[in-house]
Amino acid sequence: MRRTGWMGRTGGERARTSRADGFREFAAGRTNQLFRSASLLTGGDTHLAEDLVQETLGRMYALWGRVDRIDNPAGYAQTVLVRTFLTHRRRRSATERPLGELPEPAPASGYDPDLRIALLDALGRLSAKDRAVVVLRYWEDRSVEETADAMHVSSAAVRTRSVRALAKLREQLGGQFAEFADR
């Protein structure tokens, strides 16, 4: 049986509670300053600034048990905020901007939604390996050797799977799309 101390809590539970209370106090005192800095970093994008502050506080909480080793936790939080911002800027999605209205994409010439749905359905009925062979060989236009290398099988296995998978696709699609099967 565990012995409990003050108010029924063990020593570890008291330490975790103390840690959480200390972090709550720190976060409450620093959130506004972090948000102002984040808003300036993001050029006024308040939504991104909120996200950056949230991520910064999450990272600070993760190391909060070792905060006694940090001379200036507030300054360190600012450093974490700036590094988080810079990391975000390097991400590909950082260049996305919301629009008021979504532009209507121009339909591609020769685009047939029924054909697309039928092909996706037929591909979905193939086994995973057959589907991989079809996608690699005919969608990505890889050679037999490249496909074999990517799948860790022999070239003969790729050829065999290709023939069988295409036969299954033709069978599933039937005569409705036969004109596209021989392209």
Side-chain angles (χ1 to χ4, degrees), residues 113-152:
D114 293 332
L115 174 62
R116 184 174 196 270
I117 291 170
L119 285 173
L120 288 174
D121 184 49
L123 277 172
R125 287 190 232 141
L126 293 177
S127 71
K129 288 183 180 181
D130 287 348
R131 193 169 41 243
V133 165
V134 170
V135 169
L136 291 172
R137 286 281 293 128
Y138 303 105
W139 179 257
E140 293 185 6
D141 201 26
R142 292 190 184 190
S143 69
V144 171
E145 291 75 24
E146 289 172 329
T147 302
D149 200 36
M151 294 182 63
H152 302 292

Side-chain angles (χ1 to χ4, degrees), residues 27-177:
R30 296 302 304 164
T31 299
N32 288 336
Q33 178 61 37
L34 288 170
F35 180 73
R36 282 192 292 276
S37 297
S39 293
L40 291 172
L41 287 170
T42 62
D45 184 345
T46 57
H47 299 291
L48 178 56
E50 289 171 350
D51 290 347
L52 292 174
V53 169
Q54 184 69 30
E55 192 168 338
T56 298
L57 290 174
R59 290 180 183 188
M60 288 298 294
Y61 184 75
L63 61 85
W64 195 252
R66 300 179 304 252
V67 77
D68 55 335
R69 295 184 211 162
I70 300 171
D71 293 332
N72 181 1
Y76 188 75
Q78 288 293 125
T79 301
V80 170
L81 174 70
V82 170
R83 289 180 180 166
T84 302
F85 168 72
L86 293 174
T87 299
H88 174 77
R89 297 301 303 167
R90 280 186 235 123
R91 292 182 192 143
R92 188 172 166 195
S93 64
T95 59
E96 295 175 357
R97 297 286 176 243
L99 300 173
E101 285 185 35
L102 293 176
E104 288 295 322
S109 62
Y111 176 74
D112 183 2
D114 293 332
L115 174 62
R116 184 174 196 270
I117 291 170
L119 285 173
L120 288 174
D121 184 49
L123 277 172
R125 287 190 232 141
L126 293 177
S127 71
K129 288 183 180 181
D130 287 348
R131 193 169 41 243
V133 165
V134 170
V135 169
L136 291 172
R137 286 281 293 128
Y138 303 105
W139 179 257
E140 293 185 6
D141 201 26
R142 292 190 184 190
S143 69
V144 171
E145 291 75 24
E146 289 172 329
T147 302
D149 200 36
M151 294 182 63
H152 302 292
V153 296
S154 68
S155 297
V158 169
R159 285 188 204 94
T160 302
R161 280 202 179 273
S162 295
V163 170
R164 289 181 185 164
L166 290 177
K168 288 177 188 175
L169 284 176
R170 286 185 187 104
E171 179 183 313
Q172 289 177 20
L173 293 173
Q176 183 181 7
F177 299 107

